[in-house]
């Protein structure tokens, strides 16, 4: 059984005039939030000096954002389904602005970590934006718009790196966070002005016990993965965290299956289309992040190694930036393939392109233009895949669960990136070469990481092959924005 939503037809078959504004505003909000991923990268080496703390302690400014995002994304998605997706999107942007202001005024470690945690709590903006699009856009705009919104995750990260490097090199580091706060305010005002609230609500009682259990399980898992290299993979702390994660998440799963209004409807998540899309998302998150770890290091390592290019962080940003533009450009192509062949084929095409990009990188890694080419090829594949995933998810869940389902899918990608960071870190730490008195990752280490990234993309291809064809388990929602008032249209739920 599924929920379908009736939508009024637009005159002449064209999209209501306000649809363009909604898509542009939501995509901008997604880019602003994704900037938080790369905002601190240029200043990581200087954070101990800026915050008067050790390097191991300042690393929490990054880890805290990761953990907060993992917990907040599914919770905000569920709250959006219950009380309004636009409302939760605005709350997320308020948290981003607040966190940015806290760090912008910080000169010590604790407020910086608090601010970065608040920024992480805003991570649900992209899945919430996709869910809003399902509820308020006309059918002919949905595939392309959700593909663009999904691609904003990569676009913001890629474009943010050169901008952050420029600001860090030429201004006080606090300007980075004043800038992010300003962008957050602009995004909030635009969403408030142009994005209508969906009338699709589930209501009911929030699963507080389930959210606490999920938070404990996810934090334990991601903390063990992200800190394993620093604390020791066989240390009591890391093994204990893994044990807690397994026990808590298993208990959480049993609880979710037995509660009347679960945080995550596990019966929906095990549907073939949802399950294999989420598994492919983990593999794609892994594959995409492997490139983000390899290319910057290759660019910055000294030329004396024989394979490093000795370039600055600013150059790294400029090399990575075209990837974001390619991802954005691929959004309409991804949508066109999805409309004609189905999202399964789009996802599989993306996997093939990403795998080819990594294969190319193994052969071409000695010139800057080589790495620009590789990042663009991989970015094109990721753009295809990230555009298909929301279509697959929304084609298999009722409209009343869109926020939670999209948020869970985003979380799966984040888990993939976390494992990529951990595994690539182990490879690069174990396969080293000596330069003077310093041990640096060897050329073969980078090639192994690229091969693992290609393998993850191939795994995503295999997983996608198990997805259903063009016929989906549920009919996507089809509400629309009325061209006159611009307010959210009345929608009526019917059983398909």
């Amino acid at each position: 059984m599924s929920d379908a939503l009736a939508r009024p037809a637009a005159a002449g078959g064209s999209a209501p005039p306000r649809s363009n504004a909604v898509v542009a505003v939501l995509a901008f909000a997604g880019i602003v939030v994704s900037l938080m991923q790369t905002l601190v990268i240029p200043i990581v080496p200087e954070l101990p000096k800026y915050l008067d703390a050790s390097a191991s302690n300042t690393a929490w400014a990054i880890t805290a954002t990761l953990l907060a995002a993992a917990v907040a994304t599914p919770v905000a998605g569920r709250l959006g389904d219950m009380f309004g997706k636009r409302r939760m999107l605005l709350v997320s942007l308020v948290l981003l602005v607040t966190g940015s202001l806290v760090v912008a005024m910080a000169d010590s470690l604790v407020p910086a970590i608090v601010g970065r945690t608040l920024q992480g709590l805003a991570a649900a903006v992209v899945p919430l934006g996709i869910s809003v699009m399902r509820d308020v856009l006309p059918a002919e705009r949905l595939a392309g718009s959700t593909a663009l919104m999904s691609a904003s995750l990569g676009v913001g990260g890629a474009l943010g790196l050169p901008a952050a490097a420029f600001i860090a090199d030429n201004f006080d580091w606090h300007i980075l966070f004043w800038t992010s706060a300003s962008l957050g305010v602009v995004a909030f005002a635009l969403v408030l002005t142009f994005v209508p609230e969906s009338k699709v609500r589930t209501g009911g009682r929030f699963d507080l016990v389930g959210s606490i259990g999920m938070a404990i399980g996810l934090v334990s898992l991601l903390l063990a993965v992200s800190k394993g290299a620093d604390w020791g993979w066989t240390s009591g702390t890391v093994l204990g965290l893994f044990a807690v994660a397994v026990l808590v998440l298993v208990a959480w799963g049993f609880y979710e299956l037995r509660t009347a209004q679960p945080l995550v409807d596990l019966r929906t998540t095990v549907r073939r289309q949802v399950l294999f899309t989420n598994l492919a998302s983990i593999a794609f998150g892994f594959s995409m992040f492997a490139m983000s770890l390899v290319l910057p290091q290759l660019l910055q390592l000294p030329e004396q190694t024989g394979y490093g290019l000795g370039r600055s962080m600013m150059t790294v940003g400029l090399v990575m930036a075209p990837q974001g533009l390619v991802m954005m450009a691929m959004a309409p192509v991804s949508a066109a393939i999805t409309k004609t062949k189905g999202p399964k084929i789009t996802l599989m095409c993306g996997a093939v392109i990403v795998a080819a990009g990594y294969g190319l990188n193994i052969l071409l890694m000695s010139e800057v233009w080589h790495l620009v080419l590789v990042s663009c090829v991989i970015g094109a594949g990721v753009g295809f895949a990230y555009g298909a995933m929301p279509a697959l998810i929304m084609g298999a869940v009722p409209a009343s669960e869109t926020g939670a389902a999209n948020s869970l899918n985003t979380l799966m990608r984040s888990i993939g990136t976390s494992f990529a960071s951990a595994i690539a870190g182990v490879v690069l730490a174990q396969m080293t070469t000596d330069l003077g008195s310093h041990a640096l990752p060897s050329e073969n280490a980078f090639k192994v990481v690229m091969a693992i990234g290609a393998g993850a993309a191939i795994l995503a291809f295999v997983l996608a092959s198990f997805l259903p064809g063009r016929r989906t388990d549920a009919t996507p929602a089809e509400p629309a924005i009325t061209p006159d008032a611009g307010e959210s249209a009345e929608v009526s739920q019917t059983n398909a």
Side-chain angles (χ1 to χ4, degrees), residues 80-306:
D81 286 336
M82 294 174 66
F83 305 115
K85 303 175 184 74
R86 173 179 175 267
R87 179 177 298 172
M88 288 308 303
L89 198 155
L90 290 170
V91 170
S92 297
L93 290 171
V94 169
L95 291 171
L96 183 145
V97 172
T98 304
S100 299
L101 291 175
V102 170
V103 185
M105 295 183 286
D107 287 307
S108 59
L109 182 63
V110 172
I113 292 176
V114 170
R116 289 288 293 167
T117 300
L118 291 171
Q119 287 183 322
L121 294 176
V125 163
V126 171
L128 285 170
I130 292 172
S131 302
V132 168
M133 287 177 174
R134 180 184 189 181
D135 293 347
V136 304
L137 292 181
E140 65 272 17
R141 292 295 306 274
L142 191 58
S145 299
T146 56
L148 179 63
M149 186 70 188
S150 188
S152 70
L153 278 169
V155 173
L159 299 182
L161 190 56
F166 175 79
I167 293 173
D169 286 344
N170 294 280
F171 303 97
D172 180 81
W173 70 276
H174 293 94
I175 298 296
L176 287 168
F177 296 94
W178 286 114
T179 302
S180 67
S182 301
L183 291 172
V185 169
V186 172
F188 180 92
L190 290 174
V191 170
L192 193 64
T193 303
F194 293 102
V195 178
E197 180 62 272
S198 165
K199 294 186 181 295
V200 181
R201 309 278 180 86
T202 62
R205 179 181 59 84
F206 179 68
D207 181 13
L208 181 60
V209 174
S211 65
I212 293 173
M214 185 201 65
I216 294 172
L218 285 178
V219 168
S220 299
L221 174 64
L222 295 177
L223 195 56
V225 170
S226 61
K227 290 294 187 179
D230 295 332
W231 294 345
W233 290 104
T234 58
S235 67
T237 301
V238 171
L239 293 177
L241 285 169
F242 276 125
V244 169
V246 171
L247 293 173
V248 171
L249 289 176
V250 169
W252 172 80
F254 278 109
Y255 175 82
E256 292 294 283
L257 288 171
R258 286 161 173 75
T259 188
Q261 296 176 321
L263 178 72
V264 177
D265 187 345
L266 295 181
R267 291 179 177 84
T268 298
T269 62
V270 296
R271 291 179 183 173
R272 183 168 59 142
Q273 185 159 318
V274 178
L275 176 62
F276 281 99
T277 300
N278 284 334
L279 291 175
S281 296
I282 296 175
F284 258 107
F286 186 106
S287 189
M288 177 184 176
F289 200 68
M291 176 198 63
S292 301
L293 293 169
V294 168
L295 266 59
Q297 292 197 55
L298 281 175
L299 284 162
Q300 291 183 283
L301 282 174
E303 293 181 356
Q304 292 90 327
T305 60

Side-chain angles (χ1 to χ4, degrees), residues 18-58:
R18 217 158 169 246
S19 296
N20 290 334
V22 171
V23 174
V25 167
L26 290 174
F28 174 74
I31 291 172
V32 170
V33 170
S34 63
L35 288 173
M36 299 308 106
Q37 300 174 1
T38 54
L39 192 65
V40 298
I41 290 178
I43 62 171
V44 165
E46 304 298 326
L47 277 178
K49 179 179 70 176
Y50 294 153
L51 301 176
D52 191 24
S54 66
S56 60
N57 286 332
T58 55

Side-chain angles (χ1 to χ4, degrees), residues 258-474:
R258 286 161 173 75
T259 188
Q261 296 176 321
L263 178 72
V264 177
D265 187 345
L266 295 181
R267 291 179 177 84
T268 298
T269 62
V270 296
R271 291 179 183 173
R272 183 168 59 142
Q273 185 159 318
V274 178
L275 176 62
F276 281 99
T277 300
N278 284 334
L279 291 175
S281 296
I282 296 175
F284 258 107
F286 186 106
S287 189
M288 177 184 176
F289 200 68
M291 176 198 63
S292 301
L293 293 169
V294 168
L295 266 59
Q297 292 197 55
L298 281 175
L299 284 162
Q300 291 183 283
L301 282 174
E303 293 181 356
Q304 292 90 327
T305 60
Y307 50 88
L309 300 178
R311 302 307 174 101
S312 66
M313 177 58 74
M314 187 66 189
T315 302
V316 172
L318 293 173
V319 168
M320 301 292 286
Q323 176 203 12
L325 299 177
V326 170
M327 288 181 66
M328 184 176 290
M330 287 300 104
V333 181
S334 171
I337 296 176
T338 295
K339 287 180 179 179
T340 56
K341 302 294 184 181
K344 172 184 176 178
I345 299 301
T346 309
L347 184 59
M348 295 175 75
C349 288
V352 171
I353 295 171
V354 170
Y358 277 111
L360 194 64
N361 199 183
I362 293 174
L363 300 174
L364 299 177
M365 54 184 289
S366 59
E367 302 287 343
V368 171
W369 73 266
H370 291 170
L371 303 186
V372 173
L373 174 63
V374 167
S375 69
C376 288
V377 172
I378 295 176
V382 173
F384 269 62
Y386 277 18
M389 288 172 189
L392 286 163
I393 293 295
M394 292 188 295
V397 302
S400 59
E401 298 177 16
T402 303
N406 277 322
S407 296
L408 183 64
N409 182 251
T410 301
L411 174 62
M412 294 300 104
R413 301 185 213 177
S414 298
I415 290 175
T417 62
S418 298
F419 277 94
S421 178
I423 293 175
V426 170
V427 172
L428 297 177
Q430 294 299 318
M431 302 177 65
T432 61
T433 184
D434 291 328
L435 182 64
S437 58
H438 299 285
L440 300 174
S442 67
E443 183 177 10
N444 284 335
F446 290 113
K447 290 184 177 181
V448 168
V449 174
M450 294 170 202
I452 294 173
I458 293 171
L459 175 60
F461 178 90
V462 173
L463 291 168
S465 69
F466 289 98
L467 290 166
R470 285 190 55 86
R471 187 175 295 277
T472 58
D473 297 327

